[in-house]
Amino acid sequence: MVVHSQSAALDHCSLIKTCKPTTSVFKGIPVVDLRDPEAKTLIVKACEEYGFFKLVNHGVPMEFFSRLEAEALKFFNLPQSDKDKAGPPDPFGYGFKKIGSNGDVGWVEYLLLNTNPQITSLKSLTVFRETPEIFRSSAVNDYIQAVKRMTFEVVELMADGLKIEPRDALSRLLRDEKSDSCFRLNHYPPCPELQALGGRNLIGFGEHTDPQIISVLRSNNTSGLQICLRDKTWVSVPPDQTSFFINVGDALQVMTNGRLRSVRHRVLAESMRSRVSMIYFGGPPLSEKIAPLASLMAKGEESLYEEFTWWEYKTSAYKSRLGDYRLGLFEKKTTGAAGQ
């Protein structure tokens, strides 16, 4: 994804949305130390208020960060014809600009890989087969396994804070050998021609919520990530390449009957620096029924959502546009449930 002239760049991004610049850098991002005795309480509070928090002292070696980022950049810096051998995504594999199959585009190229060893993705294998000396699968596997272990701990602390019984009600879904989880590497190339857009920002990845239970993001020190607060204000999240950012997903919103809210977020392109991010999306098995957990429901409390399987929700989500409020189709209309 290389552009050599301003006119070519503007033509290249002509279908990509822009937005008004956001100058507000949010200083109030909740920070949770995973080793803090109060971590379970802080996690729940952050997820109730923002659906989002920064995790520090997480125990994942920095070496895993730097090695995977270096390997990812080697891949993304390959000639376009070489990268295209790992695409188009099915949904796994390499893609650029096009996000999904419903018309969404962004200033981004990416690799989407399967994290379930029980399911073999031909496109994932192609990435490693075509560029074995550059994109070593061990760099991916070491990182994913470490992040998985940390994520299991996070959701079990979350269950403790919410008083969910049993404690592994969430983590068992992610540990399941049929867990429908995936891993995404995003590369947002610099776009020096942004000044020609009249001061507007170019969308790298459009606004959306993540459909899974939980998302675990790590990026380099290039800014771009923004979240939408409850008052609909978009704010920039200061980058921190040593920490993780945790997002509540739609499935977790349903399982907590709206107590925890999935966070709407987006990424904006930078003019001079590339952004690299890596995200683990923790999802349940396809056949898992998604409904509010009984141990969280007060006496007489009604579910805000119709029960559905993860397969049903995932299928519906992939038929929608990126920015759609996907849970709206599954809300019980008689309860007065509020959308986002």
Side-chain angles (χ1 to χ4, degrees):
M1 191 172 173
V2 179
V3 180
H4 298 287
S5 70
Q6 178 168 313
S7 60
L10 293 178
D11 179 65
H12 198 58
C13 64
S14 61
L15 297 178
I16 300 175
K17 291 182 179 179
T18 61
C19 64
K20 294 179 180 179
T22 301
T23 57
S24 176
V25 175
F26 191 51
K27 303 292 187 181
I29 299 293
V31 179
V32 177
D33 183 331
L34 191 55
R35 304 303 159 208
D36 188 331
E38 297 300 315
K40 64 181 183 181
T41 302
L42 296 173
I43 288 172
V44 170
K45 185 174 186 292
C47 291
E48 287 179 336
E49 293 183 4
Y50 299 102
F52 180 87
F53 63 93
K54 182 165 81 169
L55 187 69
V56 301
N57 201 14
H58 44 71
V60 178
M62 293 296 113
E63 173 195 348
F64 289 3
F65 290 2
S66 57
R67 187 158 64 108
L68 180 55
E69 183 177 324
E71 297 295 333
L73 282 172
K74 286 180 184 178
F75 176 83
F76 288 124
N77 287 330
L78 287 172
Q80 190 65 47
S81 59
D82 289 347
K83 291 184 288 188
D84 287 341
K85 293 175 183 177
D90 62 355
F92 300 113
Y94 171 77
F96 74 101
K97 286 180 57 179
K98 186 177 179 182
I99 303 171
S101 58
N102 300 305
D104 292 297
V105 292
W107 189 256
V108 63
E109 58 180 340
Y110 64 88
L111 275 170
L112 184 64
L113 305 173
N114 180 36
T115 66
N116 189 337
Q118 305 299 318
I119 302 173
T120 301
S121 164
L122 294 178
K123 289 296 175 62
S124 297
L125 292 176
T126 298
V127 173
F128 305 125
R129 185 176 64 248
E130 296 291 345
T131 56
E133 75 289 352
I134 293 180
F135 206 92
R136 298 189 299 268
S137 61
S138 62
V140 176
N141 290 333
D142 289 348
Y143 179 88
I144 290 175
Q145 293 308 312
V147 169
K148 278 185 173 181
R149 288 191 293 270
M150 180 203 70
T151 305
F152 301 156
E153 186 175 0
V154 168
V155 295
E156 286 176 357
L157 284 170
M158 187 184 294
D160 290 342
L162 289 168
K163 298 182 171 57
I164 295 173
E165 296 178 356
R167 184 175 190 256
D168 69 349
L170 299 173
S171 64
R172 70 172 180 82
L173 301 178
L174 307 183
R175 294 179 189 270
D176 194 297
E177 64 178 13
K178 295 182 179 179
S179 167
D180 184 42
S181 299
C182 59
F183 180 65
R184 187 178 182 115
L185 287 161
N186 287 331
H187 178 229
Y188 303 91
C191 185
E193 295 78 10
L194 282 178
Q195 292 180 350
L197 295 176
R200 295 178 66 84
N201 290 121
L202 186 67
I203 298 294
F205 206 107
E207 65 174 271
H208 63 288
T209 59
D210 295 331
Q212 293 87 356
I213 292 173
I214 193 168
S215 306
V216 181
L217 177 144
R218 182 265 167 188
S219 76
N220 63 358
N221 258 358
T222 299
S223 61
L225 177 64
Q226 296 190 329
I227 63 171
C228 188
L229 303 180
R230 291 270 179 111
D231 64 1
K232 309 301 182 184
T233 300
W234 284 98
V235 293
S236 295
V237 177
D240 183 348
Q241 63 183 359
T242 66
S243 304
F244 288 102
F245 292 95
I246 311 296
N247 294 357
V248 171
D250 294 342
L252 185 55
Q253 177 172 321
V254 173
M255 296 174 77
T256 60
N257 207 31
R259 180 171 172 181
L260 308 186
R261 305 285 291 185
S262 56
V263 61
R264 186 164 288 267
H265 54 287
R266 66 186 182 188
V267 176
L268 305 183
E270 271 268 341
S271 61
M272 301 305 294
R273 298 171 57 191
S274 67
R275 175 180 167 88
V276 177
S277 62
M278 43 198 77
I279 312 103
Y280 165 68
F281 298 96
L286 291 172
S287 61
E288 185 70 26
K289 292 182 178 179
I290 307 299
L293 297 168
S295 60
L296 271 182
M297 300 289 280
K299 185 177 181 179
E301 181 181 356
E302 293 187 9
S303 171
L304 299 177
Y305 307 93
E306 303 287 352
E307 185 179 272
F308 52 85
T309 65
W310 169 239
W311 168 255
E312 289 170 332
Y313 187 64
K314 180 180 178 180
T315 301
S316 174
Y318 280 106
K319 289 179 180 178
S320 67
R321 294 297 298 267
L322 195 59
D324 290 347
Y325 176 52
R326 299 157 172 167
L327 279 177
L329 296 175
F330 297 88
E331 289 176 340
K332 287 186 176 179
K333 306 306 180 185
T334 57
T335 62
Q340 346 190 91

